[in-house]
């Protein structure tokens, strides 16, 4: 198997403010991110040779071209559930690695708050609709009774660990001017938040819903020096879809994410990471719900099995902990404009590597990981993107 | 010789206390309860449940006809009997018929089936089901009930032989529901009792006794349909029956279940019957049907779920929920996109999965999978699958959540992962269970329910309900 490690560089990034952007159209969101990236890289729109457009709800590539008006350039709309942004970045990287283009853009966008519903809208697939109908909160809350039972965690301990995950991500979000929620929430307020999926999941265990866009400009590492002397290198960009095991086999026990394990295995191998807790300096992971974050600590190899809840309580992943997770506030405080999130996560490494992360700036981070998960715990697509500011 | 071979019963889990309704309208408390179909049940799902009860352990290969008898079919145009055939997984070269519009639909269907079997042999399945609606704050709201019964009739292995019957037709109108009526209407009950019910039952019995040469004292049990117990017992006394002969109506517990009422009374009589018992059945509605049975020495070989249904109940139903389930109040929609209709081509393609909970098993590696598919998840073989029935497999809950967010007529939904013994699993809803009783590993069994109704089509599929170890 080949590898794109260090072959592709990011030379500019931008990210809109995430939030309930009733003030901004889709056009406004796209331009907010794109103009920041162009300014950052010193490039002009005409320098971009091709676009990969990651979105869950936008319909076509022309949704983007009608906004940016590139001069008859290719625009590929990428849909891969919550990994749409990550997959746009991955395919843009392949566009560079193939040698076909010199400079390309990956951009993610979704605008969710204009639909008048709570949560995310559903698609009608013209099926027989005999399956139960439920959303993200219900599907991820199914992880909790299974996890608590398997590892013999008491109800109180389980709840408290989940409370601490939400607390941490809100704490971080309060330090991020681009976050949807920019307020620290007291532990006790989180504890007392109303249930949405009993017996474990409260409203404060759910990530936010927001509008947003994020983008990255890519070139080959060979040519990167021409644009700037501090590019960010792509170490690996892996994406894995369900094997069906979690969906159909009783061997899957609802305490992990098999697809994430598989994506991380390959991504670590290609990036040369053997001890992720030691070798990674920051991790942005798909904390759609607090329980997801706990299970992902284990699936990504950041916690040992059955210890994720304890690590959450002990602060291993806080800003001051040994491995900060969701430094920008995560989906919890940023919200989750589906197609934008994968690129937003990489943007945090970009800011951190360039010392631009303000009050949440880490000390000399060199390697970052971004993880997305689209679908249900037992049937999803997972992506792991690893970036670094050093070659090799 | 024709008779009942096996039988089944279904009464929904929920009971509405008459007291609950009285309180809602600031009226004096009243005793008694009525059975209430859950918001995912209707006359068809209840009939299917009773039919499955009647079919337990039965070989249906000689089935010649299936009937659905109800005055409250979920469809004006669209047959339910064919859907019962599909749910039973029965042969399809048979006769199907829905009989409706009358409280004599059940007995009419049963007599019609018996006539058919006299000629053709084999067996037939007749379901009696009703889910009639009374207007709020009216007598029918608390006196009607929901339920179903089913009878397998045949010419061999007879449990209760049909000795004879007599029918009487009289265009007498005392209860009715017009084409555009939601709720049942009636005339003054005193007129209906004294001028219609009493003389018609009397005339029909007179005809039956004259034809059969029998008399009231010949029968150990009498299933006598009447709109209420008071009228039943007063007419029974006038006709020369002792109160002990009259089979209990169960009205005080489950209400008057319409077509199912006589069926459930008959199931109850058969559940406790001894060989040689003679049972008289009298139904009423625009006339009367009288049927006489003698229980054979197969007494005790069959038992319906009736007593289990009566015992496993939830009497805490609030009036608000009742009104919501019956769609009698306009509620604020949840802040979610509306339920999309089912694609009928896709529903039809998945015929065996949807009607019969059929999955598949890989002939190469033995992996059982639901829903059916062509590529094996375990050994990746393609097109090596054989049909595999999940309906008769033991099932347990692997994990669950009580989902207060998704669309539902009765939020929260109890969303569960169900694992089948021998492999295979499905996402499902757990119903007829109190939320504090849900546990990982609890035993459940599939129950056919209405997932939702959209575009006028009810999408039926399998949910799960708590099960006993012995099931």
């Amino acid at each position: 198997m080949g590898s794109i490690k260090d072959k592709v560089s990011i030379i500019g990034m931008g990210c809109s403010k995430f939030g309930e952007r009733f003030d901004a159209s889709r056009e406004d969101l796209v331009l907010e991110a794109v103009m920041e990236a162009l300014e950052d890289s010193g490039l002009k729109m005409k320098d971009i040779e091709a676009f990969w457009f990651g979105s869950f709800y936008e319909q076509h590539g022309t949704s983007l071209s009608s906004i940016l008006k590139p001069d008859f350039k290719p625009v590929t709309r990428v849909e891969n559930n919550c990994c749409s942004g990550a997959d746009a970045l991955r395919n843009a990287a392949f566009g560079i690695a193939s040698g076909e283009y010199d400079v390309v853009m990956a951009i993610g966008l979704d605008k969710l708050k204009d639909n008048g519903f709570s949560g995310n809208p559903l698609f009608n697939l013209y099926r027989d609709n005999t399956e139960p109908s439920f959303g993200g909160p219900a599907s991820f809350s199914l992880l909790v009774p299974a996890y608590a039972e398997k590892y013999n965690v008491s109800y109180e301990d389980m709840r408290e660990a989940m409370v601490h995950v939400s607390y941490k991500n809100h704490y971080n979000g309060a330090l991020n001017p681009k976050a949807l929620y920019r307020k620290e929430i007291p532990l006790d307020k989180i504890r007392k938040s109303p249930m949405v999926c009993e017996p474990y999941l409260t409203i404060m265990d759910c990530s936010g819903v927001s509008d947003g866009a994020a983008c990255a400009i890519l070139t080959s590492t060979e040519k990167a020096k021409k644009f700037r002397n501090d590019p960010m290198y792509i170490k690996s960009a892996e994406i894995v879809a369900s094997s069906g095991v979690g969906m159909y086999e009783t061997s899957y026990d609802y305490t992990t994410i098999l697809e994430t394990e598989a994506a991380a295995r390959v991504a670590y191998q290609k990036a040369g990471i053997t001890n992720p807790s030691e070798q990674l300096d920051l991790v942005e992971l798909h904390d759609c719900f607090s329980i997801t974050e706990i299970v992902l600590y284990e699936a990504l190899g950041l916690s040992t099995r059955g210890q994720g809840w304890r690590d959450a309580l002990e602060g291993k992943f806080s800003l001051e902990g040994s491995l900060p997770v969701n430094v920008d506030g995560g989906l919890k405080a940023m919200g989750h404009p589906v197609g934008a999130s994968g690129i937003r996560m990489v943007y945090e490494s970009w800011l951190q590597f360039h010392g631009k992360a303000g009050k949440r700036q880490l000390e000399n981070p060199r390697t970052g990981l971004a993880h997305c998960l689209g679908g249900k715990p037992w049937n999803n697509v997972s992506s792991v993107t690893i970036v670094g500011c050093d070659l090799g | 010789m024709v008779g009942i071979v096996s039988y089944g019963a279904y009464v929904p889990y929920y009971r509405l206390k008459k007291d609950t309704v009285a309180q809602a309208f600031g009226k004096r408390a009243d005793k008694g309860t009525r059975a209430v179909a859950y918001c995912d049940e209707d006359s068809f799902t209840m009939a299917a449940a009773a039919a499955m009860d009647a079919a337990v352990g039965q070989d249906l290969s000689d089935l010649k006809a299936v009937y659905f008898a109800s005055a409250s079919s979920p469809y004006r145009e669209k047959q339910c009997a064919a859907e019962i055939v599909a749910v039973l997984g029965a042969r399809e070269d048979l006769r199907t018929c829905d009989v409706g519009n009358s409280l004599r639909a059940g007995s009419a269907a049963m007599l019609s089936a018996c006539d058919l079997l006299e000629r053709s042999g084999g067996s037939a399945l007749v379901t009696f089901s009703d889910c009639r609606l009374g207007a709020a704050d009216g007598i029918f709201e608390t006196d009607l009930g929901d339920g179903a019964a089913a009878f397998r009739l045949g010419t061999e292995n007879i449990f209760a032989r049909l000795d004879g019957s007599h029918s009487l037709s009289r265009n007498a109108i005392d209860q009715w529901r017009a084409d555009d009526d939601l709720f049942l209407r009636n005339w003054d009950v005193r007129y209906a009792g004294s001028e219609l019910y009493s003389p018609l039952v009397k005339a029909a019995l007179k005809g039956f006794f004259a034809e059969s040469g029998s008399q009231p004292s010949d029968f150990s049990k009498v299933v006598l349909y009447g709109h209420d117990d008071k009228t039943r017992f007063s007419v029974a006394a006038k006709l020369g029956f002792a109160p002990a002969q009259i089979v209990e109506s169960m009205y005080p517990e489950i209400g008057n279940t319409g077509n199912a009422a006589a069926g459930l009374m008959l199931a109850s009589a058969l559940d406790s019957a001894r060989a040689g018992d003679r049972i008289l059945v009298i139904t009423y509605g625009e006339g009367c049907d009288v049927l006489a049975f003698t229980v054979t020495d197969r007494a005790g070989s069959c038992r319906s779920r009736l007593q289990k249904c009566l015992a496993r109940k939830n009497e805490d139903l609030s009036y608000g929920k009742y009104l919501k389930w019956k769609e009698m109040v306009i509620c604020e929609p949840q802040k979610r996109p509306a339920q999309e209709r089912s694609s009928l081509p896709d529903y039809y393609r998945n015929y065996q999965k949807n009607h019969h909970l059929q999955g598949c098993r890989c002939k190469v590696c033995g992996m059982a999978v639901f829903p059916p598919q062509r590529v094996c998840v375990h050994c990746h073989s393609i097109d090596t699958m054989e049909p595999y029935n999940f309906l008769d497999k033991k099932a347990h809950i692997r994990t669950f959540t009580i989902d207060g967010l998704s669309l539902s007529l009765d939020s929260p939904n109890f969303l569960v992962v169900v694992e089948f013994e021998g492999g295979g699993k499905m996402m499902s809803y757990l119903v007829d269970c109190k939320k504090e009783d849900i546990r990982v590993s609890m035993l459940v069994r599939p129950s056919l329910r209405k997932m939702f109704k959209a575009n006028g089509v009810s999408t039926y599929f399998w949910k799960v309900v708590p099960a006993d170890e012995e099931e």
Side-chain angles (χ1 to χ4, degrees), chain A residues 138-157:
Chain A
S139 67
F140 283 88
S141 63
L142 288 169
L143 292 167
V144 205
Y147 183 96
E149 173 116 344
K150 181 172 179 181
Y151 299 117
N152 201 22
V153 187
S154 73
Y155 179 82
E156 292 71 25
D157 285 346

Side-chain angles (χ1 to χ4, degrees), chain A residues 116-124 126-135 137-139 141-146 149 196-199 201 203 206 243-255 378, chain B residues 335-337 339-343 346-347 350 353-354 367-371 373 377-378 398-406 413 415-417 419-420 423-425 427-429 435 440-441 451-452 459-461:
Chain A
F117 300 123
S118 51
N120 293 1
L122 307 166
F123 285 116
N124 176 21
Y126 309 111
R127 301 266 167 87
D128 66 12
N129 291 347
T130 55
E131 283 197 356
S133 166
F134 52 91
S139 67
S141 63
L142 288 169
L143 292 167
V144 205
E149 173 116 344
V196 289
C197 289
E198 292 175 71
L201 206 86
I203 193 109
C206 306
S243 68
V245 167
M247 206 172 175
Y248 302 117
E249 289 199 25
T250 51
S251 61
Y252 174 64
D253 67 4
Y254 299 84
T255 67
W378 55 92
Chain B
K335 299 277 186 292
R336 298 291 299 148
Q339 174 67 53
E340 291 286 349
R341 66 183 183 178
S342 295
S343 160
D346 195 52
Y347 192 88
N350 298 323
K353 179 203 83 172
N354 292 340
M367 177 63 72
V369 176
F370 186 86
Q373 45 214 273
V377 64
H378 191 64
R398 183 68 188 78
T399 185
F400 67 93
T401 189
I402 298 161
D403 178 7
L405 299 172
S406 52
N413 286 321
L415 182 70
V416 295
V417 175
E419 289 186 355
F420 295 96
K425 61 181 181 179
M427 299 288 304
S428 190
Y429 294 121
K435 79 176 176 191
V440 167
S441 304
M451 298 297 280
F452 58 89
T459 295
Y460 297 110
F461 194 66

Side-chain angles (χ1 to χ4, degrees), chain B residues 210-233:
Chain B
E211 270 176 23
S212 63
S214 54
Q215 55 186 353
S217 60
D218 292 343
F219 296 91
S220 48
K221 298 173 190 234
V222 178
V223 169
L224 173 62
Y225 174 82
H227 294 330
D228 58 77
D229 269 341
K230 197 175 156 197
T231 321
R232 273 178 6 109
F233 281 100

Side-chain angles (χ1 to χ4, degrees), chain B residues 145-439:
Chain B
D146 304 330
F151 299 90
R152 183 166 181 227
L153 303 154
T155 50
E156 285 169 33
N157 298 318
I158 290 172
F159 184 102
R161 183 184 69 231
L162 179 69
D163 297 322
S165 70
H166 183 82
S167 293
L168 173 82
S169 169
R170 176 73 58 84
N171 182 33
I173 181 162
D174 61 344
Q175 283 189 0
W176 67 95
R177 192 159 64 86
D179 183 47
D180 52 356
D181 277 341
L182 266 179
F183 305 113
L184 190 63
R185 302 173 189 255
N186 68 339
W187 197 263
D188 168 29
V189 290
R190 298 187 64 82
Y191 155 74
S194 67
E195 299 303 311
L196 302 181
Y197 178 73
S198 177
L200 288 182
V201 170
K202 195 171 172 183
L205 276 178
K206 191 178 167 195
F208 171 75
F209 287 140
E211 270 176 23
S212 63
S214 54
Q215 55 186 353
S217 60
D218 292 343
F219 296 91
S220 48
K221 298 173 190 234
V222 178
V223 169
L224 173 62
Y225 174 82
H227 294 330
D228 58 77
D229 269 341
K230 197 175 156 197
T231 321
R232 273 178 6 109
F233 281 100
S234 101
V235 167
K238 279 189 218 160
L239 295 168
F241 293 108
Q245 283 174 282
I246 306 298
V247 175
E248 263 190 63
S249 65
M250 298 166 274
Y251 291 172
E253 279 182 68
I254 65 172
N256 178 339
T257 54
N259 272 291
L264 288 170
M265 283 187 250
L266 179 54
S268 158
L270 293 171
D271 274 344
S272 60
R274 281 178 301 205
D277 276 359
R278 293 183 68 185
I279 301 175
L280 193 64
V281 178
I282 304 152
T283 62
Y284 169 79
E286 301 79 36
C288 289
D289 288 327
V290 182
L291 297 86
F293 294 93
T294 299
V295 176
T296 69
D297 56 8
R298 294 192 72 245
S301 67
C302 178
R303 224 182 138 74
S304 73
R305 290 185 60 88
L306 178 61
Q307 292 307 321
K308 275 187 182 168
C309 289
L310 294 177
R312 201 176 172 283
K313 62 187 173 184
N314 182 340
E315 293 187 329
D316 298 334
L317 178 59
S318 70
Y319 188 56
K321 278 201 172 192
Y322 169 82
L323 291 177
K324 190 173 180 184
W325 295 355
K326 297 292 184 187
E327 296 179 76
M328 285 168 64
V329 281
I330 299 167
C331 295
E332 182 180 322
Q334 286 167 271
K335 299 277 186 292
R336 298 291 299 148
Q339 174 67 53
E340 291 286 349
R341 66 183 183 178
S342 295
S343 160
L344 293 179
D346 195 52
Y347 192 88
Y348 187 68
R349 267 195 297 276
N350 298 323
Y351 197 89
Q352 295 298 344
K353 179 203 83 172
N354 292 340
H355 293 111
H356 204 54
L357 203 65
Q358 191 179 88
C360 64
R361 182 168 55 187
C362 178
K363 286 185 276 192
V364 175
C365 72
M367 177 63 72
V369 176
F370 186 86
Q373 45 214 273
R374 292 181 57 189
V375 181
C376 177
V377 64
H378 191 64
C379 72
H380 304 107
S381 304
I382 299 174
D383 289 336
T384 56
M385 297 296 182
E386 58 186 358
Y388 182 79
N389 180 15
F390 283 97
L391 262 190
D392 58 2
K393 302 296 179 290
K394 260 194 171 180
H396 294 89
I397 288 181
R398 183 68 188 78
T399 185
F400 67 93
T401 189
I402 298 161
D403 178 7
L405 299 172
S406 52
L407 272 189
S408 176
L409 261 185
D410 186 33
S411 187
N413 286 321
F414 302 168
L415 182 70
V416 295
V417 175
V418 176
E419 289 186 355
F420 295 96
E421 280 186 15
K425 61 181 181 179
M426 69 168 180
M427 299 288 304
S428 190
Y429 294 121
L430 174 68
V431 290
D432 294 358
C433 182
K434 290 187 173 163
K435 79 176 176 191
E436 54 272 24
D437 294 337
I438 309 176
R439 298 275 180 279

